[in-house]
């Protein structure tokens, strides 16, 4: 039976609606994960095909919209061949559905009636949608300047919206306070979310016939994919399913890059940084809650953190759009990072990256970005 564990070794039973320890420490989920590979061929192409490694009781019924098992396409961008996972194709338009389907399944299993979440975008959309499907009352705290299309999407799912004046940190503080009373479905705090995002890496390995890629280039905001991928690769490696753990390359916007700076200075944790404003708003996290975990994971994988400029983000968006794919500006930052990584590294081997979110929610921003052509 899996259980919650803090970094100080305190444990809690898994089926309790908590999201941190009594003293406010982060929780991780500890368990034994064994994937019955021989059974996978007959299962539907959703992320729930990895049911045995998702730490939720076997009698829980998934709160699912048939999400996951997104295509892994070979693309050539800026002269480099890379594999690009189509994570913009999720029901709510971003890979955050991976975390939301798992977290809401657990919440429903524990008979949670109402929850709070805070997000400036896609995590809120995903939690709102899956909470609606689960029949759970949902309140989302948002910074006052959140993109209108995303608010509309949350409202459509009947979420109650609480706009908070100030920055992203003020919003988190307001939600944190409300979480004294309600279940906190935070994609940063709640470790069930990471056991959903880890299916991203399970899928990559299965789609590559259980050969590890050499590097996986992912966004590094709050780190749900960095840490989810790290969990998955370790679980698969420990079971002898994959031959090695790929390098994890975390991408930040140069305008808000606390982890790139800490990585370069060989620090175990980041210093407080300011968000100087970037097109990649979805990864502009000045003070990532799990920052030290992200630094440790990327280093242990042999990977690195890279920063991309606003110019590189726009150029990558154009390259991708010129092949017909329509992605969020935030997603273009990760592609810019994959290109930068392949430009500076000799013999990269097989590189996998992703389109993290759909362009359809960001039309206004994309219009502005393209109008500013220089
Ligand atoms: C959330 C998000 C990211 C960044 O992910 P983190 O978990 O914050 O590191 C990147 N792209 C899109 C489209 C997102 O929604």
């Amino acid at each position: 039976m899996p259980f919650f564990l803090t970094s100080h070794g305190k444990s809690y039973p898994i089926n309790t609606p908590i999201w941190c320890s009594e003293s406010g420490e982060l929780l991780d989920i500890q368990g034994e994960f064994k994937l019955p590979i021989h059974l996978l061929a007959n299962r539907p192409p959703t992320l729930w095909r990895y049911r045995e490694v998702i730490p939720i009781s076997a009698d829980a019924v998934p709160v699912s919209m048939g999400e996951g098992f997104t295509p892994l396409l070979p693309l050539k961008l800026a002269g480099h061949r890379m594999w690009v996972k189509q994570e913009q194709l999720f029901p709510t338009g971003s890979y955050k559905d991976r975390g939301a389907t798992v977290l809401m399944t657990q919440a429903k299993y524990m008979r949670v009636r109402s929850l709070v979440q805070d997000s400036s975008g896609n995590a809120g959309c995903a939690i709102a949608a899956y909470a609606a499907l689960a029949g759970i009352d949902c309140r989302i705290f948002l910074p006052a300047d959140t993109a209108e299309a995303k608010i509309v999407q949350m409202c459509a799912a009947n979420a109650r919206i609480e706009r908070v004046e100030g920055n992203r940190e003020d919003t988190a503080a307001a939600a944190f306070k409300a979480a004294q009373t309600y279940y906190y479905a935070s994609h940063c705090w709640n470790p069930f979310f990471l056991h959903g995002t880890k299916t991203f890496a399970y899928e990559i390995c299965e789609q590559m016939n259980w050969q590890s890629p050499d590097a996986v280039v992912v966004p590094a905001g709050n780190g749900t994919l960095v840490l989810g991928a790290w969990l998955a690769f370790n679980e698969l490696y420990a079971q002898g399913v994959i031959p090695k753990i790929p390098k994890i390359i975390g991408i930040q916007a140069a305008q808000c890059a606390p982890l790139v700076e800490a990585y370069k200075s060989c620090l175990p944790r980041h210093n407080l940084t300011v968000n100087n404003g970037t097109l990649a708003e979805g990864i502009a996290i000045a003070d990532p809650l799990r920052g030290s975990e992200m630094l440790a994971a990327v280093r242990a994988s042999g990977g690195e953190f890279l920063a991309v400029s606003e110019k590189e983000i726009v150029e990558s968006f154009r390259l991708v759009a010129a092949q017909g794919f329509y992605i969020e500006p935030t997603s273009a930052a990760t592609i810019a990072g994959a290109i930068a990584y392949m430009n500076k590294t000799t013999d990269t081997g097989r590189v996998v990256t992703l389109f993290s979110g759909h362009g359809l929610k960001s039309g206004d921003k994309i219009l502005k970005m393209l109008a500013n052509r220089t």
Side-chain angles (χ1 to χ4, degrees):
M1 183 90 162
F3 55 92
F4 290 127
L5 189 67
T6 71
S7 61
H8 291 110
K10 190 149 178 21
S11 66
Y12 300 86
I14 193 104
N15 290 324
T16 27
I18 55 171
W19 43 270
C20 69
S21 75
E22 291 121 330
S23 43
E25 289 170 289
L26 286 162
L27 298 177
D28 288 315
I29 295 172
Q30 200 68 34
E32 265 213 36
F33 301 104
K34 281 216 175 66
L35 188 66
I37 290 177
H38 58 287
L39 297 178
L40 294 180
N42 296 323
R43 295 185 177 175
T46 83
L47 60 83
W48 288 97
R49 64 201 274 106
Y50 309 113
R51 185 69 183 83
E52 289 85 354
V53 299
I54 297 172
I56 295 181
S57 293
D59 58 333
V61 180
V63 174
S64 172
M65 301 188 211
E67 59 289 302
F69 219 71
T70 55
L72 181 63
L73 298 181
L75 294 182
K76 193 170 178 188
L77 292 165
H80 297 292
R81 289 183 189 285
M82 56 185 89
W83 294 88
V84 185
K85 204 141 160 65
Q86 306 294 300
E87 300 284 286
Q88 82 280 27
L89 300 181
F90 271 94
T92 77
S94 86
Y95 78 84
K96 296 289 194 315
D97 290 359
R98 292 187 185 278
T101 180
V102 168
L103 179 48
M104 288 304 100
T105 298
Q106 174 66 7
K108 188 174 182 191
Y109 184 69
M110 292 187 301
R111 300 178 195 280
V112 166
R113 304 283 291 273
S114 40
L115 59 81
V116 291
Q117 145 77 311
D118 58 295
S119 157
S120 56
N122 290 329
C125 294
I127 292 291
Y130 283 86
L133 182 60
I136 299 173
D137 178 59
C138 174
R139 284 170 83 190
I140 310 237
F141 288 76
L142 299 171
D145 63 350
T146 301
E148 209 55 40
K150 292 180 181 172
I151 300 183
V152 173
Q153 195 180 358
M154 295 177 222
C155 289
N158 277 332
R160 268 189 291 160
I161 303 298
E162 314 270 355
R163 289 184 201 232
V164 182
E165 289 304 324
N167 61 19
R168 184 70 187 77
E169 283 71 36
D170 297 319
T171 307
F176 198 88
K177 199 162 160 235
Q180 309 298 321
T181 328
Y182 302 100
Y183 185 59
Y184 193 21
S186 165
H187 56 298
C188 312
W189 280 98
N190 205 305
F192 277 102
F193 203 91
L194 301 178
H195 285 263
T197 53
K198 80 179 182 186
T199 58
F200 166 75
Y202 272 89
E203 289 177 17
I204 290 170
C205 292
E206 185 178 359
Q207 288 168 321
M208 296 188 125
N209 212 3
W210 307 112
Q211 299 301 303
S212 326
D214 294 283
V216 180
V217 183
V218 290
N222 278 306
T224 61
L225 270 186
V226 169
L227 295 172
W230 176 241
L231 282 175
F233 289 135
N234 278 282
E235 290 169 14
L236 286 165
Y237 182 70
Q239 293 169 72
V241 175
I242 56 169
K244 66 169 186 183
I245 292 179
K247 293 189 170 81
I248 297 175
I249 315 295
I251 307 304
Q252 302 205 295
Q255 294 287 89
C256 184
L259 300 176
V260 176
E261 284 163 32
Y263 172 80
K264 280 195 194 146
S265 320
C266 298
L267 298 173
R269 52 171 302 117
H270 60 278
N271 289 315
L272 270 190
T273 320
V274 277
N275 174 2
N276 292 308
T278 168
L279 291 163
E281 59 183 1
I283 49 170
I285 309 295
D287 187 14
L289 184 71
R290 292 183 186 264
S292 335
E293 283 180 47
M294 293 165 73
L295 281 162
V298 165
R299 282 187 178 121
S301 78
E304 60 190 297
F305 285 96
L306 290 177
V308 295
S309 68
E310 298 302 291
K311 185 161 171 277
E312 288 173 280
I313 295 171
V314 179
E315 282 170 4
S316 301
F317 178 89
R318 288 218 169 95
L319 281 177
V320 167
Q323 296 196 25
F325 298 93
Y326 193 44
I327 60 175
E328 276 193 37
T330 295
S331 307
T334 302
I335 299 303
I339 293 169
Y341 174 68
M342 294 185 87
N343 278 341
K344 79 178 186 77
T345 314
T346 44
D347 196 16
T348 51
R350 285 179 310 176
V351 174
V352 177
T353 186
L354 69 148
F355 292 151
S356 57
H358 209 291
L360 285 174
K361 288 192 247 191
S362 310
D364 296 358
K365 230 178 136 195
I366 293 169
L367 183 64
K368 260 191 231 146
M369 184 176 87
L370 296 180
N372 278 338
R373 63 176 68 225
T374 40

